[in-house]
Amino acid sequence: MSQMPATAENILERFAPGAALADAPALPWLEDLRAGARQRFAAAGLPTPRLESWKYTNLRPLEKLEFAPWAQEQVSIDRLPSLLPQGQSTQRLVFVNGRFREDLSALGALPDGVRAGSLADALAKDKSGALADTLGRIAGEDGNQPMLDLNTAMMSDGFLLHLEAGVRLEWPIEVIYLGAAPRGPQAFHPRSLMVLEEDSRAIVVEHHDGIGGNAGGAYFANHACEIRVGADAQLRHYKVQAEDTAAIHLSNLHAEVRGGGLYDAFTLTRGARLSRCEASVALAAPGAECHLNGIYMLRGEQHCDNTTRIDHLAPETASREVFKGVLDERARGVFQGKVVVHQDAQKSDGHQLSKVLLLSDTAEMDAKPELEIYADDVKCSHGATAGDMDPEALFYLRARGIPEETARHMLIEAFLSDTINGLAAEGLCPALLSSVGHWLSDAADGGAS
Amino acid sequence: MLEIKNLHATVGGKGILKGLDLKVGAGEVHAIMGPNGSGKSTLSYVLSGRDGYDVTEGEVLYQGKNLLDMEPEARAGAGVFLAFQYPVEIPGVPNTTFLREAVNAVRKFRGEPTLDPMAFLKLLRIKIKELGITDDLIKRAVNVGFSGGEKKRNEILQMALLDPALAILDETDSGLDIDALKTVADGVNALRAPDRSVLVITHYQRLLDYIVPDHVHVLAHGRIVRSGGKELAQELEKTGYAAFTGQAA
């Protein structure tokens, strides 16, 4: 295998083969957006641990992959990994290697004022340039986000949601991203955009998974997502990352929440050998609120990085952030949580917590909470703990006849469950709890999932 | 039922039990009384198999088997129950789930069929009614936010559900008001049977007004220094432990 030098241009080329929006129409604004991103990425290259924000996560495994030409794998999928109970998943959008697969999707009737579908389709039909106001604009260009730039330069397709003012969706929309690399490593760059106008509501459940078996393997999913939650609107955005254990999953999310709006996010991470979820939320007007919560369960050599930034830009904004991890074997977790309370954001409220259960001596956790407060009348707190399982609780359960392994599982589930139980998607919590159960029983079988 | 011979145990390298002998027959209730630091709690933890309590000499036979060789869960399965002095709070585990797991684990040990959730709930309803425990207590997380009395009642509920052959009560009376004390005592007395034994470990004589023991032992400096009938407890109440701690030193 020839080892190419990993210059930015090389990387772009390596990711290039057919991966981009090849069939996208020539939209001048989009061309400009992509060209700018391409230039910035070419100048910056892949981030290295020399950058402060990438200190704990090294993308070297990415440099070692030789990507095969992009292929829309016509793999047959007999069982979609749906997280929602039958009857609730009337809207299910499936993307394989970053491209929308209408044949696998279920698109039920939607109320007026809702658009849910493929971004590539929407761009192809976007004669008026309506998307130019949001796509690439919510995330902005600060020149300091090479992976977002790579996505913008190479974006293929992704989930588009638009809700007009006052529209409330009753059932969750499920978005399933599948990765497959049967003939050599694949790279894809899905891009999603969710815009909720004033007083609208939606629940989006995202599921990232590998096709599994021989068709799984090493793929690189480089997601980016832009979200605008309008005044008094509510978006509940729940994500399960269960990628193939050979995969690399990066995601870059930017959300803007307007007055009285709520962005409620939760991520369960148990897949990928290397993953980093970056989320940046701007609480832009009074009364805006966000919840960024997550749990992660890792073993083997898995590495998971949750890096978040919340900007309180206006008075009386609120943020809640709870991340809980369970690390076994040689797994490594990273949590970097920055909360910035700007000068105008008086009477704001920000709470952050990182808690980790270390199941082995070789597991490692790096937590870096950062509070920057420029207003004088605020309530903020943060905390980070990492420790072993409580030996007193373990003994108590065993003293009641519960075998040690069952007792350990009960305590791990208990540690994680309160974060899951708060989710407002009926039917999702049992699926997530059973996902925790599966992860635990994989350990009992002696094999990583 | 239980035979402890010349038991020596250390905690963190420090000798606590120094040659303890005790024989508890089937159907008997024994009380072990002693001042703070005499080794009462160490004895209960050694019997239940807690880590960090090292037996350096002696043996413990339970129903003829070497108890010290068994894992804590196997001891519970074989019928040894410890009511904790400080029941542990376990956030996130609903009490009902915990109780069902425990009952079914113990049933498995004993070769009995496990109970499905409905059958278990039926059993649980009967037991909580008998013990005057509110529904609220079984729905909450294990011992989380329970008052001292509620925690002890929860211990007695577990005892009633797990149906032990040997119950060890470690200072179950500490921090209880008179009503809770009576409930606890009723729970224990209900369990008294020819094939069951109870070991009551306590600092005060008060609990023994309600759970009347067949035998009373005084533990001081890691050994049984005196044994007698139930009247010994009353005597101790009057004279205190000073005579014994002096005698043992």
Side-chain angles (χ1 to χ4, degrees):
Chain A
M1 197 165 81
S2 70
Q3 194 62 48
M4 279 197 297
T7 66
E9 271 305 326
N10 262 331
I11 289 162
L12 274 167
E13 259 169 53
R14 284 164 57 213
F15 292 143
L21 270 172
D23 43 355
L27 297 165
W29 64 268
L30 187 59
E31 293 293 303
D32 288 352
L33 185 71
R34 299 168 77 103
R38 196 182 167 94
Q39 256 171 19
R40 286 192 301 276
F41 182 77
L46 284 177
T48 71
R50 282 196 299 274
L51 289 171
E52 181 63 24
S53 62
W54 286 85
K55 189 176 166 190
Y56 304 110
T57 296
N58 195 326
L59 290 181
R60 196 171 300 129
L62 193 56
E63 292 177 12
K64 289 183 183 154
L65 289 178
E66 293 281 344
F67 293 104
W70 183 85
Q72 170 68 293
E73 297 304 334
Q74 291 299 327
V75 274
S76 66
I77 296 162
D78 22 275
R79 197 188 56 84
L80 282 170
S82 178
L83 289 165
L84 296 172
Q86 283 292 324
Q88 269 204 30
S89 189
T90 52
Q91 296 294 333
R92 190 195 300 124
L93 291 94
V94 181
F95 294 81
V96 177
N97 287 3
R99 288 297 182 100
F100 182 52
R101 285 282 298 270
E102 196 168 357
D103 56 322
L104 299 170
S105 302
L107 298 161
L110 284 168
D112 287 344
V114 181
R115 193 156 134 198
S118 141
L119 178 69
D121 283 356
L123 282 168
K125 291 172 196 151
D126 190 33
K127 301 281 187 285
S128 62
L131 290 167
D133 294 338
T134 44
L135 189 66
R137 301 288 171 246
I138 297 170
E141 298 165 0
D142 65 4
N144 201 16
Q145 303 191 78
M147 301 320 290
L148 172 67
D149 286 333
L150 180 63
N151 177 284
T152 305
M154 311 302 296
M155 63 170 114
S156 46
D157 195 354
F159 174 57
L160 173 89
L161 177 69
H162 183 261
L163 263 68
E164 285 178 10
V167 177
R168 294 182 175 190
L169 283 177
E170 194 179 346
W171 302 115
I173 296 181
E174 189 171 25
V175 184
I176 300 174
Y177 288 100
L178 296 174
R183 285 182 290 280
Q186 287 282 311
F188 43 92
H189 309 267
R191 178 72 166 232
S192 30
L193 177 64
M194 301 184 218
V195 175
L196 279 75
E197 306 287 359
E198 207 176 302
D199 199 35
S200 62
R201 283 183 193 178
I203 301 171
V204 173
V205 176
E206 261 180 50
H207 193 182
H208 302 254
D209 210 333
I211 278 170
N214 296 329
Y219 57 85
F220 167 42
N222 181 37
H223 288 261
C225 178
E226 290 175 282
I227 291 170
R228 176 175 291 154
V229 179
D232 299 319
Q234 294 187 357
L235 176 64
R236 299 185 190 277
H237 185 194
Y238 303 145
K239 168 177 167 181
V240 172
Q241 192 271 84
E243 305 273 25
D244 191 285
T245 43
I248 297 171
H249 176 102
L250 303 183
S251 90
N252 216 297
L253 180 141
H254 286 263
E256 175 195 312
V257 187
R258 296 187 169 174
L262 170 68
Y263 177 59
D264 176 38
F266 170 85
T267 303
L268 181 154
T269 299
R270 68 181 172 91
R273 61 192 277 213
L274 169 61
S275 66
R276 169 157 159 136
C277 289
E278 277 184 71
S280 172
V281 182
L283 301 172
E289 185 175 349
C290 80
H291 309 153
L292 291 183
N293 299 324
I295 62 175
Y296 45 98
M297 306 171 282
L298 310 172
R299 62 167 66 95
E301 308 271 348
Q302 282 181 296
H303 175 111
C304 167
D305 175 339
N306 284 293
T307 292
T308 65
R309 179 188 170 113
I310 297 170
D311 283 281
H312 289 259
L313 296 160
E316 291 175 32
T317 48
S319 65
R320 289 277 178 288
E321 196 171 9
V322 178
F323 277 84
K324 286 189 178 181
V326 178
L327 306 178
D328 201 358
E329 298 171 355
R330 291 163 311 282
R332 187 167 177 204
V334 177
F335 173 74
Q336 305 186 102
K338 191 167 186 170
V339 177
V340 185
V341 182
H342 295 254
Q343 209 172 348
D344 288 342
Q346 299 294 355
K347 305 227 180 286
S348 286
D349 199 339
H351 296 284
Q352 184 192 75
L353 184 64
S354 161
K355 281 177 97 168
V356 172
L357 205 50
L358 296 165
L359 302 182
S360 96
D361 292 341
T362 46
E364 190 185 330
M365 179 67 200
D366 294 292
K368 196 175 108 185
E370 266 183 282
L371 283 179
E372 280 180 29
I373 302 174
Y374 302 102
D376 47 27
D377 182 16
V378 298
K379 268 192 274 178
C380 283
S381 69
H382 67 83
T385 63
D388 300 334
M389 193 170 282
D390 178 7
E392 304 246 337
L394 193 60
F395 175 64
Y396 191 67
L397 296 177
R398 293 179 72 194
R400 296 298 176 251
I402 299 171
E404 184 172 2
E405 189 182 298
T406 311
R408 284 182 179 278
H409 289 186
M410 284 173 75
L411 293 176
I412 294 169
E413 283 177 321
F415 173 70
L416 297 173
S417 63
D418 60 343
T419 316
I420 293 174
N421 286 331
L423 302 181
E426 214 181 312
L428 180 65
C429 298
L432 295 183
L433 290 171
S434 78
S435 180
V436 173
H438 285 150
W439 185 81
L440 291 169
S441 55
D442 282 345
D445 295 344
S449 62
Chain B
M1 179 67 71
L2 181 72
E3 197 176 354
I4 302 173
K5 294 180 196 166
N6 190 32
L7 185 64
H8 288 70
T10 60
V11 181
K14 189 173 176 241
I16 305 289
L17 298 182
K18 300 165 183 167
L20 189 146
D21 291 288
L22 182 70
K23 220 169 162 176
V24 179
E28 295 174 357
V29 175
H30 288 239
I32 294 187
M33 302 185 68
N36 292 330
S38 57
K40 299 194 300 290
S41 285
T42 298
L43 175 62
S44 69
Y45 286 137
V46 166
L47 294 179
S48 54
R50 185 178 174 131
D51 275 348
Y53 293 77
D54 297 320
V55 174
T56 49
E57 212 183 319
E59 64 175 344
V60 178
L61 295 175
Y62 167 72
Q63 295 179 335
K65 285 170 295 202
N66 182 351
L67 186 71
L68 302 177
D69 273 355
M70 297 159 77
E71 294 294 328
E73 53 266 42
R75 299 183 196 196
V80 177
F81 179 90
L82 169 66
F84 282 59
Q85 183 180 3
Y86 303 109
V88 181
E89 297 188 7
I90 310 183
V93 177
N95 205 13
T96 312
T97 309
F98 160 65
L99 296 169
R100 191 180 65 232
E101 287 284 343
V103 165
N104 280 336
V106 162
R107 289 178 74 93
K108 265 187 212 162
F109 269 110
R110 296 173 191 169
E112 295 164 12
T114 56
L115 300 177
D116 64 48
M118 286 311 294
F120 172 74
L121 214 56
K122 223 169 134 181
L123 174 69
L124 185 59
R125 295 247 169 265
I126 295 169
K127 297 290 182 191
I128 64 170
K129 208 171 163 193
E130 282 173 8
L131 292 168
I133 287 170
T134 55
D135 259 18
D136 171 57
L137 219 59
I138 59 168
K139 284 177 188 154
R140 275 146 62 183
V142 180
N143 294 325
V144 177
F146 286 25
S147 70
E150 286 171 335
K151 283 181 180 170
K152 296 298 169 75
R153 278 178 211 249
N154 200 32
E155 293 295 293
I156 299 305
L157 172 62
Q158 292 164 45
M159 185 179 74
L161 284 166
L162 297 181
D163 194 20
L166 172 67
I168 305 160
L169 280 67
D170 185 6
E171 310 240 1
T172 299
D173 49 338
S174 65
L176 288 191
D177 61 30
I178 198 76
D179 289 337
L181 193 70
K182 277 183 184 158
T183 312
V184 165
D186 288 348
V188 175
N189 288 329
L191 213 72
R192 290 180 91 148
D195 55 350
R196 267 197 279 249
S197 311
V198 181
L199 196 56
V200 184
I201 296 173
T202 181
H203 187 100
Y204 301 103
Q205 177 264 340
R206 189 175 70 147
L207 180 63
L208 304 180
D209 289 342
Y210 301 95
I211 305 171
V212 180
D214 303 305
H215 303 274
V216 175
H217 311 275
V218 180
L219 179 64
H221 298 292
R223 305 180 60 186
I224 302 289
V225 292
R226 196 171 152 196
S227 297
K230 61 184 175 204
E231 64 289 344
L232 180 55
Q234 269 122 34
E235 189 189 323
L236 280 169
E237 189 71 8
K238 288 196 204 93
T239 60
Y241 292 112
F244 298 103
T245 51
Q247 183 182 330

